[in-house]
Amino acid sequence: MKAIETITGPVSVLMRDDVDTDQIIPKQFLKRVERTGFGEFLFYDWAKEDGWDLPVNQILVTGRNFGCGSSREHAPWALEDYGFRVVIASSFADIFKSNCTKIGMLPVQLSTEDTKSIADAGSVQVDLSAQEVRWDVDGRLRTASFDIDPETKHRLLNGLDDIALTLQQVGAIDTYEAERERSGPVTTAL
């Protein structure tokens, strides 16, 4: 997966609350396990509405409780395939948030006021190293900090998925396996 450090640019705005994973990617498109090819079906039902326009940018700004509903991994896959690398919202569903970080997408939780201000500003800078978001409001720089656990931050900064993290431990795994081989089979008392 691609590392994230600083993402700067215009935002795509979807100021709707309680957007569930079935709205992000409807169930009829979940017949594949590849992680690509889902972007064209992102917000499929809403995209049919008159006036729908969701520009392709790296940053999505949305309402509270984004990614609620079922735990489908396809929702972050569709967002990533569409081009998003960062999603800014006032709250996320826990499983959705975790699924995002596992594929290299950064969910940033900010206050509702800051989220709306960023949407109005139209562009933002998200700095993962500093855990800070910066945007301009009428010529004044605004900033907001966000929390992220150290392990997830490390994974995203270094572009490490689960396999890459495991491969970092090859030496320790080899040592363990050699030790197990020398000590014989594991037995259990009945």
Side-chain angles (χ1 to χ4, degrees):
M1 74 186 193
K2 192 173 176 183
I4 292 178
E5 188 166 333
T6 302
I7 305 283
T8 304
V11 298
S12 298
V13 178
L14 178 67
M15 292 310 289
R16 298 184 186 195
D17 293 336
D18 303 313
V19 174
D20 69 37
T21 54
D22 194 51
Q23 292 161 322
I24 296 170
I25 183 78
K27 64 187 173 309
Q28 66 263 34
F29 302 111
L30 307 183
K31 298 174 184 171
R32 299 190 333 260
V33 294
E34 302 87 7
R35 291 185 178 186
T36 60
F38 294 102
E40 67 182 292
F41 308 115
L42 182 70
F43 304 118
Y44 183 77
D45 294 324
W46 293 343
K48 297 176 195 174
E49 296 174 2
D50 286 340
W52 174 264
D53 180 31
L54 188 66
V56 178
N57 292 308
Q58 293 189 83
I59 305 163
L60 174 65
V61 179
T62 188
R64 67 174 172 73
N65 198 27
F66 190 77
C68 59
S70 69
S71 61
R72 64 182 65 157
E73 295 170 317
H74 296 71
W77 296 351
L79 289 161
E80 179 190 44
D81 194 54
Y82 194 79
F84 295 118
R85 307 249 0 256
V86 177
V87 180
I88 300 173
S90 56
S91 61
F92 294 95
D94 290 338
I95 295 172
F96 173 83
K97 188 175 182 178
S98 175
N99 285 341
C100 284
T101 64
K102 290 183 183 289
I103 65 165
M105 190 180 323
L106 175 61
V108 174
Q109 188 168 325
L110 298 176
S111 70
T112 300
E113 177 186 308
D114 285 341
T115 302
K116 288 179 181 177
S117 179
I118 292 167
D120 291 342
S123 64
V124 69
Q125 180 180 71
V126 180
D127 184 338
L128 177 56
S129 293
Q131 293 178 223
E132 189 173 77
V133 179
R134 302 174 194 101
W135 68 102
D136 183 89
V137 176
D138 299 325
R140 287 189 22 234
L141 179 65
R142 298 257 332 249
T143 62
S145 297
F146 62 92
D147 292 326
I148 187 166
D149 70 87
E151 179 186 335
T152 301
K153 182 178 179 178
H154 171 77
R155 289 168 52 105
L156 292 172
L157 283 171
N158 294 287
L160 302 171
D161 61 12
D162 289 340
I163 293 170
L165 284 171
T166 302
L167 290 175
Q168 287 186 328
Q169 304 302 318
V170 167
I173 293 168
D174 290 345
T175 300
Y176 173 80
E177 287 177 345
E179 185 68 30
R180 289 298 316 138
E181 200 171 293
R182 280 193 296 278
S183 63
V186 176
T187 59
T188 58
L190 295 176

